[in-house]
């Protein structure tokens, strides 16, 4: 059997503006802007190397997340999504309870959403999960910082004031901004027993501005190419995969493209698991998203209203 085509997603070295650098020179900013603009207008995805987020840090988050997922369901139940009064998206999502493509059966994945850093939240903390809150929170904040740097480069690439995107993502980590760090676990699958049409994650585009994805080496992620076929995306150790999401496409009147993607079932007989971490960046809830070029290609909508619409379809 021929192996599926790998998609050619550009790889950009972000070292000059990594989290270890205080600032970036105008010249380097211009270079990064050109590289990201090409990637986001043509493919919608880019790999960033040398971001300042290390493989060791990613492995630490994957490791403690897996410890949470491998617990019996009754241990996870108290942390279910919907149990947190201050944030309806925070918490554990069980297998098959979400369908990102509403026309397919529930997705064969579970997740833990860090959607709030509210001080009163109850976190998993028993036994091997003693460091859960600290590890997840620290990673959330690093992802936030990297996201703001990427958004600044994106604004520059469109000849916009860098504050254009930064000022609308001020409240990441609060309950009036829906940005979420999502730990995803895809348990072993007997593809013979899966329901017809069922996937690990159904076809969807992301909702907000951009998404940062950190994944293990077990494949399955496919991205819709311009020619209309799904193509397997590679995994590059130490690199973060960044894609454009829907509100950014609306904001930029389709200059930047939000691309549909999915995670396939493993081949028959393959009982491997898959893990990833996705940081979904949303503008602050009250941000009104209108086309920046002054056109009326998309009707105005607030970030908060848009995500509520999308959640209704997925659950």
């Amino acid at each position: 059997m021929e192996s599926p085509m790998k998609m050619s997603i550009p790889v950009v070295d972000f070292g000059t503006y990594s989290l270890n650098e205080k600032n970036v020179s105008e010249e380097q900013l211009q270079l990064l802007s050109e590289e990201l603009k090409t990637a986001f207008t043509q493919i919608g995805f880019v790999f960033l190397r040398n971001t300042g987020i290390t493989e060791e840090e990613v492995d630490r988050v994957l490791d403690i997340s897996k410890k949470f997922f491998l617990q019996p369901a009754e241990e996870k139940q108290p942390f279910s999504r919907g149990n947190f009064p201050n944030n309806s998206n925070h918490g554990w999502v069980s297998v098959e309870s979400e369908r990102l493509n509403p026309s397919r059966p529930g997705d064969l994945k579970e997740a833990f959403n860090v959607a709030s850093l509210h001080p009163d939240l109850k976190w998993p903390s028993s036994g091997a999960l003693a460091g859960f809150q600290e590890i997840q929170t620290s990673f959330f904040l690093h992802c936030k910082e990297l996201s703001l740097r990427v958004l600044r480069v994106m604004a520059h690439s469109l000849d916009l004031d860098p504050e254009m995107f930064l000022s609308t993502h001020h409240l990441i980590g609060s309950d009036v901004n829906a940005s979420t760090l999502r730990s995803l676990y895809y348990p072993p699958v007997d593809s013979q027993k899966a329901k017809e049409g069922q996937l690990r994650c159904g076809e969807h585009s992301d909702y907000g501005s951009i998404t940062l994805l950190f994944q293990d080496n077990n494949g399955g992620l496919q991205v819709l190419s311009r020619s209309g076929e799904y193509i397997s995306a590679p995994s590059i150790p130490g690199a973060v995969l960044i894609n454009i999401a829907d509100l950014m496409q609306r904001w930029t009147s389709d200059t930047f493209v939000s691309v549909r993607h999915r995670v396939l079932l493993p081949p028959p007989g393959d009982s491997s698991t898959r893990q990833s971490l996705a940081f979904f960046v949303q503008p602050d809830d009250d941000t009104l998203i209108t086309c920046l070029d002054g056109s009326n290609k998309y009707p105005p909508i607030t970030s908060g209203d848009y995500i509520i619409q999308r959640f209704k379809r997925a659950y």
Side-chain angles (χ1 to χ4, degrees):
M1 197 177 99
E2 282 185 55
S3 66
M5 270 174 66
K6 290 283 188 199
M7 189 171 201
S8 181
I9 296 175
V11 181
V12 170
D13 188 334
F14 206 68
T16 55
Y17 201 21
S18 91
L19 298 185
N20 305 321
E21 301 294 328
K22 272 208 160 57
N23 232 315
V24 63
S25 72
E26 197 57 41
E27 191 183 349
Q28 297 290 358
L29 184 60
Q30 183 59 34
L31 192 63
L32 287 174
S33 296
E34 288 165 13
E35 291 183 299
L36 290 199
K37 188 172 188 180
T38 301
F40 289 150
T41 51
Q42 293 178 7
I43 312 264
F45 278 78
V46 71
F47 279 107
L48 294 190
R49 283 189 186 279
N50 301 319
T51 59
I53 292 180
T54 64
E55 266 184 274
E56 292 73 30
E57 183 177 7
V58 172
D59 287 344
R60 213 164 39 241
V61 187
L62 290 172
D63 183 54
I64 198 128
S65 298
K66 193 168 194 177
K67 285 175 178 159
F68 173 82
F69 292 126
L70 292 179
Q71 296 179 110
E74 59 270 19
E75 300 284 326
K76 297 181 277 192
Q77 208 67 52
F79 302 100
S80 293
R81 179 184 187 272
N83 281 2
F84 297 89
N86 62 300
N87 192 302
S88 59
N89 191 40
H90 187 88
W92 176 57
V93 178
S94 60
V95 173
E96 292 191 276
S97 61
E98 175 179 274
R99 56 190 74 209
L100 287 183
N101 178 345
S103 64
R104 289 187 182 273
D107 294 342
L108 290 171
K109 68 175 190 304
E110 55 182 303
F112 191 95
N113 296 339
V114 178
S116 173
L117 300 181
H118 195 281
D120 296 340
L121 279 184
K122 186 173 167 16
W123 291 81
S125 59
S126 57
L129 296 171
F132 190 89
Q133 177 181 1
E134 189 274 322
I135 290 170
Q136 299 277 355
T137 302
S138 164
F139 191 67
F140 183 107
L141 293 172
H142 285 158
C143 288
K144 170 186 173 178
E145 179 58 33
L146 178 58
S147 304
L148 293 174
R149 290 178 178 228
V150 172
L151 287 168
R152 183 182 168 201
V153 175
M154 288 167 63
H156 189 275
S157 80
L158 297 168
D159 297 320
L160 299 170
D161 181 330
E163 279 304 309
M164 176 62 227
F165 292 148
L166 300 186
S167 64
T168 49
H169 294 79
H170 261 329
L171 302 170
I172 293 176
S174 78
D175 291 326
V176 288
N177 177 299
S179 298
T180 300
L181 170 61
R182 181 164 233 216
S183 296
L184 290 146
Y185 176 66
Y186 301 86
V189 175
D190 181 344
S191 42
Q192 259 52 59
K193 289 186 182 155
K195 298 176 178 129
E196 192 179 341
Q198 195 165 32
L199 296 179
R200 275 181 155 173
C201 180
E203 297 84 353
H204 66 286
S205 56
D206 295 342
Y207 310 158
S209 310
I210 56 173
T211 303
L212 279 55
L213 182 73
F214 306 81
Q215 45 184 347
D216 67 13
N217 294 321
N218 295 327
L221 176 66
Q222 290 199 321
V223 173
L224 189 63
S225 69
R226 281 286 172 96
S227 61
E229 57 193 337
Y230 276 94
I231 296 180
S232 297
S235 174
I236 300 179
V240 51
L241 183 60
I242 300 192
N243 62 277
I244 295 295
D246 293 350
L247 288 179
M248 184 60 71
Q249 176 167 331
R250 293 171 75 114
W251 235 343
T252 63
S253 306
D254 301 340
T255 301
F256 291 155
V257 286
S258 175
V259 175
R260 285 171 73 77
H261 46 283
R262 66 186 183 187
V263 179
L264 293 183
L265 296 185
D270 179 344
S271 62
S272 61
T273 60
R274 173 183 157 86
Q275 264 189 286
S276 63
L277 304 167
F279 188 70
F280 296 104
V281 182
Q282 283 278 142
D284 301 335
D285 287 354
D286 63 358
T287 302
L288 188 66
I289 308 297
T290 58
C291 297
L292 290 168
D293 62 2
S295 73
N296 56 1
K297 203 166 201 182
Y298 294 99
I301 191 167
T302 65
S303 174
D305 285 346
Y306 186 75
I307 201 166
I308 288 165
Q309 278 181 18
R310 292 296 300 266
F311 281 157
K312 278 183 181 153
R313 277 185 242 165
Y315 291 95

